Amino acid sequence: MLKQIICIAVISTLAGCAATKTAENAPQPIDAVALESGLAKQQADLVNAIDESKQAQTTGFTALSAQIKALETQISTISIEPKETIVPVPMDCPPSPLGGKFLLGAEENVYIDEVKANFNTRIDTGAESSSLDARNIILFERDGKQWVRFDVFTDGAEAPAQTFESKVERFVRIKQDSDEKSDRRPVIHAHLKIGKYKAETDLNLVDRSHLEFPLLLGRKFMQDIAVVDVGQTYVHGKKKTATVVNK
């Protein structure tokens, strides 16, 4: 009997503890009024913060606009003085002794367009006309006009001569100092280039195998366009050129 009473007491105690814990862990009811009041307060605080930020920005923009206007006023009152322009006065230079002519040395490199070759050339103020070393000179007619066929060693002694044809402008008679007889030569018109200068002249064709230079330019070529300094050579540069071939 006593054991039964003790068991009933223990069971009652445990049941009471369980009921107490269940009551403590049960969710509390939400107070809707308090929640709504809290949210309204947070919203009001946020709106006030935004308004204060806008007001601060407006104040800053107003101050910045005032500063810009003040700067514009200062700039408009500044007078910029024009800078003095210094113009150099050209010095009086003496006229060129060449008088617009180009300078030639006693020897020059000359390109002849008609034969497409460069030649070491004697610039000779003692000779009146200009002459080119030519071989196998043959005269013939073409369309009722006098023409000439001739050979020129354009690539030196080791290469064969090249044959060219050109219209004869006229004939000249050249008398050598060592010979009483005059030599009748055909004359062709040629386009020359010396350095950066271009010129035209007449060349008489003759065998110059006994002379050092295959091309000679005389006074008629130099007249009104060039001045010769016999103390200089190849003023306009020296290139690979055709040489006299003794055959």
Side-chain angles (χ1 to χ4, degrees), residues 133-205:
D133 181 30
R135 316 291 174 86
N136 301 323
I137 300 173
I138 300 175
L139 297 172
F140 65 97
E141 283 191 6
R142 176 178 292 170
D143 298 329
K145 296 182 180 180
Q146 191 77 62
W147 279 64
V148 61
R149 182 181 297 112
F150 56 96
D151 295 341
V152 177
F153 289 93
T154 57
D155 297 318
E158 297 180 357
Q162 302 294 318
T163 301
F164 301 93
E165 294 180 351
S166 182
K167 187 179 74 171
V168 176
E169 298 294 328
R170 65 182 188 280
F171 290 90
V172 295
R173 289 192 175 275
I174 305 296
K175 185 177 181 181
Q176 302 293 337
D177 294 337
S178 59
D179 193 353
E180 294 182 357
K181 296 181 180 180
S182 60
D183 185 15
R184 185 173 181 265
R185 305 175 185 176
V187 176
I188 65 171
H189 191 70
H191 297 77
L192 312 182
K193 184 177 181 182
I194 306 175
K196 64 179 181 179
Y197 297 97
K198 294 182 180 180
E200 299 180 29
T201 193
D202 288 340
L203 300 175
N204 62 71
L205 304 179

Side-chain angles (χ1 to χ4, degrees), residues 53 233 237 240:
S53 177
T233 58
K240 181 180 179 181

Side-chain angles (χ1 to χ4, degrees), residues 37 52 86 92 97 101 111 135 151 154 175 204 209 244:
S37 176
E52 290 177 358
I86 301 175
D92 293 333
K101 301 178 182 180
Y111 178 82
R135 316 291 174 86
D151 295 341
T154 57
K175 185 177 181 181
N204 62 71
S209 59
V244 173

Side-chain angles (χ1 to χ4, degrees), residues 199-220:
E200 299 180 29
T201 193
D202 288 340
L203 300 175
N204 62 71
L205 304 179
V206 63
D207 185 345
R208 294 177 57 86
S209 59
H210 60 291
L211 299 171
E212 181 181 359
F213 294 89
L215 179 62
L216 178 141
L217 294 180
R219 293 192 304 272
K220 285 186 177 180

